[in-house]
Amino acid sequence: MSTRQTVSLGDINLSYLEWKKGTEPLLLLHGLADHGGVWSSLADALPSHYHIIAPDLRGHGDSEKPKTGYQFAQIIQDLQGLMTHLGWDNAHILGHSWTGKLLPMWATQSPQSFRSMILVDPFFIGRIPRWFRVTFPLLYRVLPFLQAMGPFESEDVACAIAQQLKQYRGWSPLQAQVFRDSIEQQSDGTWRSKFTPEARDGVFEEVMHIAGLTQPLSIPTLFIKPEGGLNRSAWQMQPYYTYLTHLTVQEVPGNHWAFLVEPDAFNQEVAAFLAKL
């Protein structure tokens, strides 16, 4: 079972879930518009020797939501502050989607912080042309994780819409809990995501302008490649094979949110990789 904790990092209060089973440190980072609770199935499934932390990143979940400060450098600073608070010199670190792009950047700057790295279907590892920015308004309307932002007339309406989205299709107890934990009622009675437009816009700007892999990294790395995920082509995978010198690629069933739609298979692959280390 997890407990909810909060740490003050100077300019922000960061909320996180903690599974304090053992002492081996494992940091789990969610993707855009999600929260630390998406890793509850994985954390419960892992062996008892792990000390697992799953933060809500700034602008997400129960953490504070400033108007600015969504650059990769600031997020990395938040995470280094969290690790210092925990007394961790290093950890196994997992990132999904845009945090799968953040991790190689962090590892390039501070390789000593990583025992291993797990990249779950990263989002746009390279630099994106600036003209692509004109498509952002369209992406905001069609991307499944952004369609769950609301507003919704009621919690029941929100849940009905969520069940049509890829990450919640099947509406398992895990999926239902993750979605309900991602929304909150507003003063006008409507329901909205806890994720903010400022976080959305800031992260998208960073993802577009900065390359995630720029030099070789020797950290043991697992790339989890869902069958219906984003990274289906050889050209998308090439940067990982080029720069990650101790890379394992493992295909799993499911889509971009394999940990929600096919959690058993996903959990087994993460556990197997960590066990080998």
Side-chain angles (χ1 to χ4, degrees), residues 200-233:
R200 177 197 65 191
D201 297 347
V203 169
F204 260 84
E205 287 286 348
E206 284 289 280
V207 167
M208 181 176 72
H209 292 146
I210 301 176
L213 276 169
T214 57
Q215 63 187 57
L217 292 170
S218 60
I219 297 164
T221 302
L222 172 65
F223 187 108
I224 295 187
K225 187 172 180 287
E227 293 173 354
L230 302 177
N231 296 278
R232 305 185 200 183
S233 303

Coordinates of all heavy atoms in Angstrom, one line a residue, residues 200-233:
R200 N 0.7 22.0 -19.8 CA 0.6 21.5 -21.1 C 1.4 22.3 -22.1 O 2.2 21.8 -22.9 CB -0.9 21.5 -21.5 CG -1.2 21.0 -23.0 CD -2.6 21.4 -23.4 NE -2.7 22.9 -23.5 CZ -3.8 23.6 -23.6 NH1 -5.0 22.9 -23.7 NH2 -3.8 24.9 -23.7
D201 N 1.2 23.6 -22.1 CA 1.8 24.5 -23.1 C 3.3 24.5 -22.8 O 4.1 24.5 -23.8 CB 1.3 25.9 -23.0 CG -0.2 25.9 -23.3 OD1 -0.7 25.0 -23.9 OD2 -0.8 27.0 -23.1
G202 N 3.7 24.6 -21.6 CA 5.2 24.7 -21.3 C 5.9 23.4 -21.7 O 7.0 23.5 -22.2
V203 N 5.3 22.3 -21.4 CA 6.0 21.0 -21.7 C 6.1 20.8 -23.2 O 7.1 20.4 -23.8 CB 5.3 19.8 -21.0 CG1 5.8 18.5 -21.6 CG2 5.5 19.9 -19.5
F204 N 5.0 21.1 -23.9 CA 5.0 21.0 -25.4 C 6.1 21.8 -26.0 O 6.8 21.4 -27.0 CB 3.7 21.3 -26.0 CG 2.8 20.1 -26.3 CD1 2.1 19.5 -25.3 CD2 2.8 19.5 -27.6 CE1 1.3 18.3 -25.6 CE2 2.1 18.4 -27.9 CZ 1.3 17.8 -26.9
E205 N 6.3 23.1 -25.5 CA 7.3 23.9 -26.1 C 8.7 23.3 -25.9 O 9.6 23.3 -26.8 CB 7.3 25.3 -25.3 CG 6.1 26.2 -25.7 CD 6.3 26.8 -27.1 OE1 7.4 26.7 -27.7 OE2 5.3 27.3 -27.7
E206 N 8.9 22.7 -24.7 CA 10.2 22.1 -24.4 C 10.4 20.8 -25.3 O 11.5 20.6 -25.8 CB 10.3 21.7 -22.9 CG 10.5 22.8 -22.0 CD 12.0 23.4 -22.1 OE1 12.9 22.8 -21.5 OE2 12.2 24.4 -22.8
V207 N 9.4 20.0 -25.4 CA 9.5 18.8 -26.2 C 9.9 19.1 -27.6 O 10.7 18.4 -28.3 CB 8.2 18.0 -26.1 CG1 8.2 16.9 -27.2 CG2 8.0 17.4 -24.8
M208 N 9.4 20.2 -28.1 CA 9.6 20.6 -29.5 C 11.0 21.1 -29.7 O 11.7 20.8 -30.7 CB 8.6 21.7 -29.9 CG 8.8 22.2 -31.4 SD 7.6 23.4 -31.9 CE 8.1 24.8 -31.0
H209 N 11.6 21.9 -28.8 CA 12.8 22.6 -29.1 C 14.1 21.9 -28.7 O 15.2 22.3 -29.2 CB 12.8 23.9 -28.3 CG 11.8 24.9 -28.8 ND1 11.1 25.8 -28.0 CD2 11.3 25.1 -30.1 CE1 10.3 26.5 -28.7 NE2 10.4 26.1 -30.0
I210 N 14.0 20.8 -27.9 CA 15.2 20.3 -27.3 C 15.3 18.8 -27.6 O 14.3 18.0 -27.5 CB 15.2 20.4 -25.8 CG1 15.2 21.9 -25.4 CG2 16.5 19.8 -25.1 CD1 15.1 22.2 -23.9
A211 N 16.5 18.3 -28.0 CA 16.8 16.9 -28.3 C 17.1 16.2 -27.0 O 17.8 16.7 -26.1 CB 17.9 16.8 -29.3
G212 N 16.5 15.0 -26.9 CA 16.7 14.2 -25.7 C 18.0 13.4 -25.6 O 18.5 13.2 -24.5
L213 N 18.5 13.0 -26.8 CA 19.7 12.2 -26.8 C 20.7 12.9 -27.7 O 20.5 13.1 -28.9 CB 19.4 10.8 -27.4 CG 18.9 9.7 -26.4 CD1 18.4 8.5 -27.2 CD2 20.0 9.3 -25.4
T214 N 21.8 13.2 -27.1 CA 22.9 14.0 -27.8 C 24.2 13.4 -27.7 O 25.1 13.8 -28.5 CB 22.9 15.4 -27.3 OG1 23.2 15.4 -25.9 CG2 21.6 16.2 -27.6
Q215 N 24.4 12.4 -26.8 CA 25.8 11.8 -26.7 C 25.6 10.4 -26.1 O 24.5 10.1 -25.5 CB 26.7 12.6 -25.9 CG 26.3 12.8 -24.4 CD 27.2 13.8 -23.7 OE1 27.3 15.0 -24.1 NE2 27.7 13.4 -22.6
P216 N 26.6 9.5 -26.2 CA 26.4 8.2 -25.7 C 26.2 8.1 -24.2 O 26.8 8.9 -23.5 CB 27.8 7.5 -26.1 CG 28.2 8.3 -27.3 CD 27.8 9.7 -27.0
L217 N 25.4 7.2 -23.8 CA 25.2 6.9 -22.4 C 25.4 5.4 -22.1 O 24.9 4.6 -22.8 CB 23.8 7.3 -22.0 CG 23.4 8.8 -22.0 CD1 21.9 9.0 -21.8 CD2 24.2 9.5 -20.9
S218 N 26.1 5.1 -21.1 CA 26.4 3.7 -20.8 C 25.6 3.1 -19.6 O 25.8 2.0 -19.2 CB 27.9 3.6 -20.4 OG 28.2 4.3 -19.2
I219 N 24.6 3.9 -19.2 CA 23.7 3.4 -18.2 C 22.8 2.2 -18.7 O 22.3 2.3 -19.8 CB 22.8 4.6 -17.7 CG1 23.6 5.7 -17.1 CG2 21.7 4.1 -16.7 CD1 22.8 7.0 -17.0
P220 N 22.7 1.1 -17.9 CA 21.8 0.0 -18.3 C 20.4 0.6 -18.5 O 19.8 1.2 -17.6 CB 21.9 -0.9 -17.1 CG 23.2 -0.6 -16.4 CD 23.4 0.8 -16.6
T221 N 19.9 0.3 -19.7 CA 18.6 0.9 -20.1 C 17.7 -0.1 -20.7 O 18.1 -0.9 -21.6 CB 18.8 2.1 -21.1 OG1 19.7 3.1 -20.6 CG2 17.5 2.7 -21.5
L222 N 16.4 -0.1 -20.3 CA 15.4 -0.9 -20.9 C 14.4 0.1 -21.6 O 14.0 1.1 -21.1 CB 14.6 -1.6 -19.8 CG 13.3 -2.3 -20.2 CD1 13.6 -3.4 -21.2 CD2 12.5 -2.8 -19.0
F223 N 14.2 -0.2 -22.9 CA 13.2 0.5 -23.7 C 12.0 -0.4 -23.8 O 12.1 -1.5 -24.4 CB 13.8 0.8 -25.1 CG 12.9 1.7 -25.9 CD1 13.3 3.0 -26.2 CD2 11.7 1.2 -26.5 CE1 12.5 3.8 -26.9 CE2 10.9 2.1 -27.2 CZ 11.3 3.4 -27.5
I224 N 10.9 0.0 -23.3 CA 9.6 -0.7 -23.4 C 8.8 -0.2 -24.6 O 8.5 1.0 -24.6 CB 8.8 -0.6 -22.1 CG1 9.6 -1.3 -20.9 CG2 7.4 -1.3 -22.3 CD1 8.8 -1.4 -19.6
K225 N 8.6 -1.1 -25.5 CA 8.0 -0.7 -26.8 C 6.7 -1.4 -27.0 O 6.6 -2.6 -27.4 CB 9.0 -1.2 -27.9 CG 8.6 -0.8 -29.3 CD 9.8 -1.2 -30.3 CE 9.5 -0.8 -31.7 NZ 8.5 -1.6 -32.3
P226 N 5.6 -0.7 -26.6 CA 4.3 -1.3 -26.8 C 3.9 -1.6 -28.2 O 4.3 -0.8 -29.1 CB 3.3 -0.3 -26.2 CG 4.2 0.6 -25.3 CD 5.5 0.6 -26.0
E227 N 3.2 -2.7 -28.5 CA 2.8 -3.0 -29.8 C 2.0 -1.9 -30.5 O 2.2 -1.6 -31.7 CB 1.9 -4.3 -29.8 CG 2.7 -5.5 -29.4 CD 1.8 -6.7 -29.2 OE1 0.5 -6.6 -29.3 OE2 2.3 -7.8 -29.0
G228 N 1.2 -1.2 -29.8 CA 0.4 -0.1 -30.4 C 0.9 1.3 -29.9 O 0.1 2.2 -29.8
G229 N 2.2 1.4 -29.6 CA 2.8 2.6 -29.1 C 3.2 3.6 -30.2 O 2.8 3.4 -31.3
L230 N 4.0 4.6 -29.7 CA 4.4 5.6 -30.6 C 5.6 5.3 -31.5 O 5.7 5.8 -32.6 CB 4.7 6.9 -29.8 CG 3.6 7.5 -28.9 CD1 4.2 8.7 -28.1 CD2 2.4 7.9 -29.7
N231 N 6.5 4.4 -31.0 CA 7.7 4.2 -31.6 C 7.7 2.8 -32.4 O 8.2 1.8 -32.0 CB 8.8 4.1 -30.6 CG 9.0 5.4 -29.9 OD1 9.7 6.3 -30.4 ND2 8.4 5.6 -28.7
R232 N 7.1 2.9 -33.6 CA 6.9 1.7 -34.4 C 7.9 1.6 -35.6 O 7.9 0.5 -36.2 CB 5.5 1.7 -34.9 CG 4.4 1.8 -33.9 CD 3.0 1.7 -34.4 NE 2.0 2.3 -33.6 CZ 0.7 2.2 -33.8 NH1 0.3 1.6 -34.9 NH2 -0.2 2.8 -33.0
S233 N 8.6 2.6 -35.9 CA 9.4 2.7 -37.1 C 10.9 2.6 -36.8 O 11.3 3.0 -35.7 CB 9.2 3.9 -37.9 OG 7.8 4.0 -38.3

